[in-house]
Amino acid sequence: MRPLLCCLGLAMLLGPCLACPTACSCSTKKNGRLLAECAYKDLQEVPKGLSSNVTILTLSANRISWLGQSSFTEVPEVQSLWLGYNQIGMVEPETFASLVHLKNLDLSHNKIADFPWQDLRNLSGLQILKMNNNRLAGLPRDAFRFLKDLRSLWLNDNELTTLAEGTFDNLPSLSQLQLFNNPFNCSCKVFWLKKWTENTSVSVTKGGSTLCAAPGKMKGRAVTDIPDHHCVAPSVQLTYLSNLDNTVMYDGLTLTLHCSVAGSPPPEIRWKIQTSARRVEISGPNVARDGNVKQSPERFLVFKNGTMAIPKFSKEDEGIYTCLAVNDVGTRDVSVNVALAGSENPAEDLLRDDPQASHLGGGSCYKGDEMDPSGAGEKLVIVYHVPRGSKSGAGGAVPQLHMGTLLLALGVALCC
């Protein structure tokens, strides 16, 4: 009788630890981990009744099509979760977020097109992630940002056509990456991947099979074969333009800046203007070839050739003018700080207000002059004028507007 009671007592103690759904078989491994084996059981959902201290859960080769927030709440200690070869097409946000002990996650050979990548933020201990053979067409740039321990990443056999630069940054432990059998569009948007592959210590498995599906001239060739000369990062140069043949202008002062860019593919020109009262961003020309201005609440005129004109430039227009050159390889920008002074000698005004300021010369910046790229700093263009009615050096009235410029070294070079 006593042995029977002992056995019953032992069963009562172990019972909760070995709670196991009917469709599964559960056992304790030699290392003390609790295994719940539920593979090949024709299951349509994650079974209920699992023990809370399961550390290995195998659900491979079933017919599970959906994972929800409560699918794994019973197994908060799970370290290895195998879900390959199911029919999973829907994964709700927060499905994996609470599985902070997870080291191995296999979701391969499913139908996943959308995935709650934010769930990975809590899985800093994840070492193996298999997402291969799904329907992923894109990844957020920071999808894997918090996976500091990730060693092996499988993304092959999906529908990826491009990847954002930096996708594999912040993965200090990564040693194996599988990308083959994706229909990459080998435009310059993936040129970074070629460079990264050439310089990384990560083993990109079957790199020769990481092939281009487009454009036509690259189809069937490896991503690493993208010609260097086809993809050149932008360069940009900002020039102050004026019609100051004799430094004389009349009412209606127009400030003109010209942005010259180079690169392959040809960069797009964008402008950012920051004044004391507002911030303006202009993504393209707003002046048509026929000279008509597109409907816009702004008064900044941007032409297709990279020129910006600011008619009737006033104190309200003072600020930082930035030209950006953008193509598929990268972005470059250059800025100028434009101010309006009311004196014939703005250098004296500036030095009086700021004794620490120094200038690079007292001459005006004439038409076509470039902002000196050798200067260590942002340049300040001071547009100054003599108001109507002021006295000339000979004592006579000057019924016109004089304008000139002065360059001062303050911050960032104007050529990039």
Side-chain angles (χ1 to χ4, degrees), residues 13 48 52 78 131 136 146 150 164 169 198 219 221 226 243 249-250 255 292 298 301 325 386 403:
L13 289 173
K48 301 297 182 184
S52 61
V78 69
M131 299 286 290
L136 298 172
F146 300 95
L150 190 67
D169 290 352
E198 292 173 345
K219 187 174 182 179
R221 297 177 62 182
I226 300 175
N243 49 0
M249 287 190 66
Y250 294 92
L255 179 71
N292 291 326
E298 303 302 338
L301 305 180
V386 180
M403 184 179 73

Side-chain angles (χ1 to χ4, degrees), residues 169-223:
D169 290 352
N170 303 306
L171 294 175
S173 302
L174 189 65
S175 59
Q176 181 190 34
L177 173 64
Q178 301 205 88
L179 281 174
F180 58 90
N181 292 343
N182 278 289
F184 284 112
N185 182 341
C186 292
S187 69
C188 292
K189 289 184 178 179
V190 296
F191 184 68
W192 73 269
L193 182 59
K194 168 189 173 169
K195 293 298 184 183
W196 182 84
T197 301
E198 292 173 345
N199 296 303
T200 186
S201 60
V202 176
S203 173
V204 184
T205 307
K206 294 185 179 180
S209 297
T210 307
L211 304 179
C212 306
K217 60 185 178 182
M218 288 294 297
K219 187 174 182 179
R221 297 177 62 182
V223 171

Side-chain angles (χ1 to χ4, degrees), residues 333-367:
D333 65 79
V334 62
S335 299
V336 61
N337 197 342
V338 183
L340 185 66
S343 165
E344 288 185 329
N345 193 344
E348 292 181 358
D349 290 345
L350 184 73
L351 292 172
R352 182 170 59 249
D353 295 337
D354 183 2
Q356 301 301 317
S358 61
H359 60 81
L360 295 176
S364 295
C365 186
Y366 292 99
K367 183 174 182 178

Side-chain angles (χ1 to χ4, degrees), residues 20-26 37-43 47-48 58 62:
C20 194
T22 304
C24 306
S25 60
C26 303
E37 177 62 68
C38 310
Y40 296 94
K41 300 298 182 180
D42 206 33
L43 298 172
K48 301 297 182 184
T58 303
N62 282 292

Side-chain angles (χ1 to χ4, degrees), residues 104-393:
N104 307 300
L105 176 59
D106 180 9
L107 287 162
S108 62
H109 295 272
N110 279 289
K111 301 177 180 179
I112 301 171
D114 295 309
F115 185 78
W117 300 104
Q118 64 274 14
D119 278 19
L120 301 183
R121 294 182 179 182
N122 295 334
L123 310 186
S124 58
L126 196 64
Q127 297 178 8
I128 298 175
L129 176 60
K130 294 185 176 183
M131 299 286 290
N132 54 294
N133 294 86
N134 275 286
R135 298 176 180 176
L136 298 172
L139 301 172
R141 182 184 181 279
D142 61 350
F144 312 115
R145 178 181 175 185
F146 300 95
L147 305 183
K148 304 299 184 184
D149 291 339
L150 190 67
R151 295 185 287 105
S152 182
L153 176 60
W154 298 39
L155 293 169
N156 55 285
D157 293 277
N158 274 285
E159 299 176 8
L160 299 171
T161 59
T162 189
L163 289 170
E165 184 171 0
T167 298
F168 307 120
D169 290 352
N170 303 306
L171 294 175
S173 302
L174 189 65
S175 59
Q176 181 190 34
L177 173 64
Q178 301 205 88
L179 281 174
F180 58 90
N181 292 343
N182 278 289
F184 284 112
N185 182 341
C186 292
S187 69
C188 292
K189 289 184 178 179
V190 296
F191 184 68
W192 73 269
L193 182 59
K194 168 189 173 169
K195 293 298 184 183
W196 182 84
T197 301
E198 292 173 345
N199 296 303
T200 186
S201 60
V202 176
S203 173
V204 184
T205 307
K206 294 185 179 180
S209 297
T210 307
L211 304 179
C212 306
K217 60 185 178 182
M218 288 294 297
K219 187 174 182 179
R221 297 177 62 182
V223 171
T224 52
D225 288 342
I226 300 175
D228 287 1
H229 67 273
H230 285 184
C231 303
V232 180
S235 62
V236 57
Q237 196 169 62
L238 192 56
T239 306
Y240 170 75
L241 299 178
S242 75
N243 49 0
L244 300 178
D245 296 334
N246 297 306
T247 67
V248 175
M249 287 190 66
Y250 294 92
D251 285 340
L253 167 64
T254 297
L255 179 71
T256 307
L257 301 172
H258 181 71
C259 189
S260 301
V261 299
S264 181
E268 172 191 348
I269 296 176
R270 303 175 187 173
W271 289 90
K272 290 185 179 181
I273 302 116
Q274 178 69 65
T275 69
S276 59
R278 57 181 172 170
R279 183 183 183 90
V280 179
E281 296 189 11
I282 304 174
S283 296
N286 58 17
V287 179
R289 290 184 177 181
D290 59 8
N292 291 326
V293 181
K294 299 177 183 178
Q295 291 184 352
S296 171
E298 303 302 338
R299 52 187 299 273
F300 305 102
L301 305 180
V302 177
F303 298 84
K304 189 175 182 179
N305 68 350
T307 297
M308 171 187 283
I310 306 99
K312 297 183 179 179
F313 188 86
S314 67
K315 293 290 286 184
E316 293 181 355
D317 301 315
E318 291 182 327
I320 299 174
Y321 289 73
T322 301
C323 174
L324 299 93
V326 182
N327 70 6
D328 290 341
V329 187
T331 300
R332 296 291 185 275
D333 65 79
V334 62
S335 299
V336 61
N337 197 342
V338 183
L340 185 66
S343 165
E344 288 185 329
N345 193 344
E348 292 181 358
D349 290 345
L350 184 73
L351 292 172
R352 182 170 59 249
D353 295 337
D354 183 2
Q356 301 301 317
S358 61
H359 60 81
L360 295 176
S364 295
C365 186
Y366 292 99
K367 183 174 182 178
D369 283 358
E370 298 173 0
M371 302 303 179
D372 177 16
S374 63
E378 178 184 79
K379 300 297 185 290
L380 174 63
V381 173
I382 298 182
V383 181
Y384 62 98
H385 69 277
V386 180
R388 287 182 180 277
S390 64
K391 301 296 183 179
S392 68

Side-chain angles (χ1 to χ4, degrees), residues 1-13:
M1 187 68 178
R2 178 175 290 179
L4 179 60
L5 291 175
C6 290
C7 289
L8 288 174
L10 184 61
M12 291 179 65
L13 289 173

